[in-house]
Amino acid sequence: MAHPERPAPCRRLHLNAFLMNAGHHDAAWRHPRTRPDRVTDVRYFQELARTAERGKLDSVFLADGLALWGQVAHNALGGFEPLTLLSALAVATERIGLIATVSTTFNEPFHTARKFASLDHISGGRAGWNIVTSGTVQEARNFGREEHLEHGLRYERAREFVEVATRLWDSWEDGAVLLDRERGIYADAEKVRPIGHRGEHFGVQGPLNVPRSPQGHPLLVQAGSSEDGKEFAARYAEAVFTAQQTLADALAFAGDLRGRLARHGRAEDAVRILPGICPVIGSTEAEARALEQELTDLQVPEYGLAQLSGMLGTDLTGLPLDGPLPELPEERDINGNKSRFTLVAELARRDGLTLRQLIARLGGGRGHLVVAGTPERIAGLIEEWFTRGAADGFNIMPPYLPGGLDHFVDQVVPILQERRLFRTEYTGRTLREHYGLPRPTGARSESPESPLALA
């Protein structure tokens, strides 16, 4: 339903397309509307990115892990490394932002800063970094560790990692490249400096070997709602991907996060909060519920049980599917994704769900909000959360691809545009401009060492 009488809001809604192989539902690959045979076809993802750009979405977002998640016997798992894929999407699109997940636990600041600066140049200023600390022992075992680093230590490392990466991006000042052919001077050596970092986790001399990129820094995104995660986001993040099941929970999270910003010297509107939503869209409510049931009927219980075991840090193998959750560990004893553990455990207890019911509820969003309904209903929920201040936008998680994204772009976005909540055209070219966020100035990196002489 259109609402042309609505005045234009001061805030503008932000929407990202969260792309995941055949779609976000864990049974999507079995549905006849999907193309699991194309999950390593770059043209498939280029088509999806162009669809999102046609809808004027802020960005496409790629999650990532450093292990083969879940049971590959029962899902279309694995695929492209995200920065590699986003470079290919950059040349197939013009305006849409490109956000990649990169872990601070199993990478180094120098090559991460270099890759994101490169993507920002390749895309003309559309790069974003979703900063994660990695959450599973399987990832640790791919990097020479038998056990995962402790949760708090992972965030300590992440803080230093981001500080170093930021200084590396700033090691080239704006205007450093002179291109003075007459005098034979390519760059002003006074504006390209080492950072000389020696810290608890990293030693990095610098400077970066990529000139300052169009955005200065990529957009900094964080996904995590634990206490450590929220404090990290309040200090560094410019956008936060989060998961809430109810409007009340979303309002509480947004208020908590925004309330932390001042002590880090940041304004209350310095961060964009973007919960995930998995929209199951039908022309009628009955059609949407039927599609949701089709996907549920295609679920493989063994896969869902293994995924649930990972979320809860508890082996559920062999338990009756029509029974309740067993006794769970305390959140403080969880060394993986603490916020997702809490969300899933509370969902099961609040709604009295059996294991089978919980697997069904998590199939589309893995803890993110799943809504089955008409385009008007989906748009109405987005509008309510946005206007109430529970969200600055949403991470759109199509349950199946490509059709789920097509339907959102062609059926939900026009309603949001008619309601004057969402852009009808891009007004900027960089991801920071889409988000209405400033470009870092790139003040000179402090270092006791002399400027680097560039031969």
Side-chain angles (χ1 to χ4, degrees):
M1 178 180 176
H3 294 269
E5 75 282 6
R6 280 179 169 82
C10 296
R11 295 163 63 225
R12 278 285 185 261
L13 183 69
H14 301 286
L15 299 172
N16 298 318
F18 183 173
L19 304 181
M20 183 171 281
N21 286 359
H24 281 270
H25 199 285
D26 60 37
W29 72 278
R30 300 184 68 193
H31 199 281
R33 297 185 190 179
T34 64
R35 294 295 307 274
D37 55 307
R38 299 190 69 193
V39 300
T40 51
D41 180 353
V42 69
R43 294 167 298 179
Y44 168 68
F45 286 96
Q46 288 174 330
E47 290 162 11
L48 293 173
R50 284 193 288 261
T51 297
E53 188 168 65
R54 173 163 56 79
K56 314 304 177 188
L57 272 59
D58 293 72
S59 76
V60 295
F61 162 58
L62 302 177
D64 192 41
L66 297 169
L68 184 61
W69 285 339
Q71 295 183 340
V72 73
H74 302 304
N75 202 352
L77 302 173
F80 292 118
E81 187 282 318
L83 280 165
T84 306
L85 177 55
L86 289 181
S87 294
L89 302 190
V91 298
T93 56
E94 295 182 357
R95 295 290 190 92
I96 195 160
L98 306 164
I99 301 177
T101 299
V102 172
S103 170
T104 59
T105 304
F106 302 115
N107 283 288
E108 289 288 325
F110 188 91
H111 71 230
T112 299
R114 184 188 190 198
K115 290 174 183 178
F116 275 106
S118 298
L119 178 62
D120 208 44
H121 278 292
I122 290 167
S123 64
R126 295 185 280 143
W129 174 18
N130 180 42
I131 305 161
V132 300
T133 64
S134 296
T136 69
V137 69
Q138 288 83 1
E139 291 169 291
R141 289 173 181 169
N142 285 335
F143 292 86
R145 294 180 180 273
E146 279 305 304
E147 298 297 332
H148 204 358
L149 291 178
E150 187 272 326
H151 190 272
L153 180 58
R154 298 202 303 269
Y155 273 98
E156 287 178 21
R157 178 185 168 98
R159 285 188 284 273
E160 186 178 342
F161 194 114
V162 174
E163 294 281 359
V164 174
T166 301
R167 292 184 64 195
L168 285 167
W169 291 319
D170 289 343
S171 65
W172 289 68
E173 294 183 37
D174 286 329
V177 176
L178 300 178
L179 284 176
D180 189 336
R181 292 184 174 94
E182 186 72 23
R183 294 191 298 147
I185 299 176
Y186 173 73
D188 182 347
E190 292 288 334
K191 294 184 177 182
V192 183
R193 300 174 63 86
I195 67 170
H197 176 84
R198 297 292 179 272
E200 182 70 22
H201 302 282
F202 305 107
V204 181
Q205 178 67 13
L208 195 62
N209 57 351
V210 181
R212 190 164 178 81
S213 72
Q215 291 188 115
H217 304 168
L219 184 80
L220 297 182
V221 184
Q222 186 265 355
S225 303
S226 66
E227 283 301 306
D228 285 331
K230 287 185 286 190
E231 201 59 28
F232 183 89
R235 184 170 181 178
Y236 299 108
E238 296 167 300
V240 172
F241 295 158
T242 184
Q244 273 83 44
Q245 287 283 316
T246 68
L247 174 61
D249 288 345
L251 283 166
F253 174 83
D256 183 2
L257 180 58
R258 291 179 181 129
R260 298 170 186 250
L261 294 169
R263 65 173 172 261
H264 296 289
R266 304 181 70 194
E268 195 171 297
D269 64 350
V271 177
R272 307 290 179 259
I273 298 173
L274 305 158
I277 182 172
C278 179
V280 185
I281 302 169
S283 59
T284 65
E285 295 289 330
E287 184 180 296
R289 287 194 296 272
L291 174 58
E292 185 177 38
Q293 189 61 50
E294 283 178 32
L295 291 164
T296 296
D297 291 343
L298 291 171
Q299 284 187 292
V300 178
E302 293 86 348
Y303 180 87
L305 200 62
Q307 187 177 48
L308 186 57
S309 296
M311 290 181 184
L312 296 175
T314 302
D315 186 3
L316 305 174
T317 306
L319 292 180
L321 290 174
D322 294 312
L325 275 179
E327 180 117 5
L328 297 176
E330 296 292 328
E331 181 188 310
R332 64 176 177 269
D333 297 325
I334 295 295
N335 194 35
N337 188 328
K338 289 180 181 288
S339 57
R340 195 57 51 90
F341 166 87
T342 301
L343 185 151
V344 172
E346 289 181 353
L347 172 64
R349 289 168 181 151
R350 184 188 70 216
D351 294 352
L353 302 177
T354 65
L355 288 176
R356 190 187 306 277
Q357 292 168 332
L358 187 55
I359 288 168
R361 289 280 288 273
L362 297 173
R366 301 175 308 284
H368 292 278
L369 181 65
V370 179
V371 182
T374 62
E376 289 79 10
R377 184 185 175 205
I378 305 296
L381 184 144
I382 289 173
E383 179 177 17
E384 182 181 19
W385 284 41
F386 175 69
T387 56
R388 292 281 299 275
D392 297 300
F394 284 85
N395 224 8
I396 307 304
M397 303 167 60
Y400 69 96
L401 291 169
L405 181 60
D406 285 319
H407 290 161
F408 185 85
V409 164
D410 294 332
Q411 298 175 27
V412 180
V413 167
I415 297 171
L416 298 171
Q417 291 170 331
E418 289 168 6
R419 297 182 184 184
R420 305 176 74 181
L421 297 168
F422 191 63
R423 68 174 69 85
T424 55
E425 295 294 339
Y426 290 111
T427 56
R429 289 198 167 271
T430 71
L431 182 53
R432 288 182 170 279
E433 288 171 334
H434 297 344
Y435 273 90
L437 292 169
R439 179 184 184 276
T441 58
R444 174 177 294 189
S445 298
E446 294 180 6
S447 170
E449 310 204 23
S450 60
L452 182 73
L454 296 181

